[in-house]
Amino acid sequence: MKVTEMIEKTGFKTVYLGEDREVAGVYCGDLLSWVMGKGQPEQAWITVQSHLNVIAVAVLREFSCIVLAEQAEFPEEVIERAKNEGLTLLYSDLPVYETAVRLYEAGV
């Protein structure tokens, strides 16, 4: 499934729509070193971290997008960095678990 189809199915708010990448799974995590070691390419990454380092980790792991959960917000500098990388940023007002369930129900 592509990122745009995932957005349609989940109803997550689009903060920035980058490249329409394939989404082949989901990774939930906030400890960046752990995410760097365990995340896999083409995953949608659910986190509550919203600083610049999440963009670097997402690019390094070749994630399809970042879904920011728990009503956290991306600072403008993070959005600008995502634009430079073509990385989609999404927003979910749901808790991490419910955000993951919504992705599962959407077929991710």
Side-chain angles (χ1 to χ4, degrees):
M1 156 182 328
K2 295 284 192 174
V3 169
T4 51
E5 182 182 355
M6 185 191 79
I7 294 167
E8 288 175 20
K9 289 183 174 187
T10 61
F12 295 149
K13 178 185 171 196
T14 304
V15 177
Y16 171 71
L17 182 60
E19 297 172 21
D20 195 13
R21 299 177 180 161
E22 192 67 32
V23 183
V26 178
Y27 191 83
C28 302
D30 297 313
L31 183 60
L32 299 186
S33 59
W34 191 267
V35 174
M36 285 179 3
K38 301 288 185 175
Q40 298 298 312
E42 296 186 346
Q43 289 181 319
W45 177 22
I46 302 172
T47 185
V48 297
Q49 299 288 342
S50 62
H51 49 77
L52 278 172
N53 290 341
V54 298
I55 303 301
V57 170
V59 169
L60 175 72
R61 296 311 307 149
E62 299 177 14
F63 287 135
S64 301
C65 62
I66 299 174
V67 183
L68 195 60
E70 305 271 355
Q71 299 178 347
E73 295 183 13
F74 288 109
E76 191 58 39
E77 65 183 353
V78 173
I79 297 169
E80 287 304 313
R81 181 70 56 89
K83 288 179 182 179
N84 291 340
E85 299 292 347
L87 180 65
T88 296
L89 301 178
L90 304 174
Y91 167 84
S92 170
D93 59 355
L94 301 171
V96 170
Y97 174 77
E98 292 175 30
T99 299
V101 168
R102 183 156 304 167
L103 286 165
Y104 174 79
E105 292 172 343
V108 179

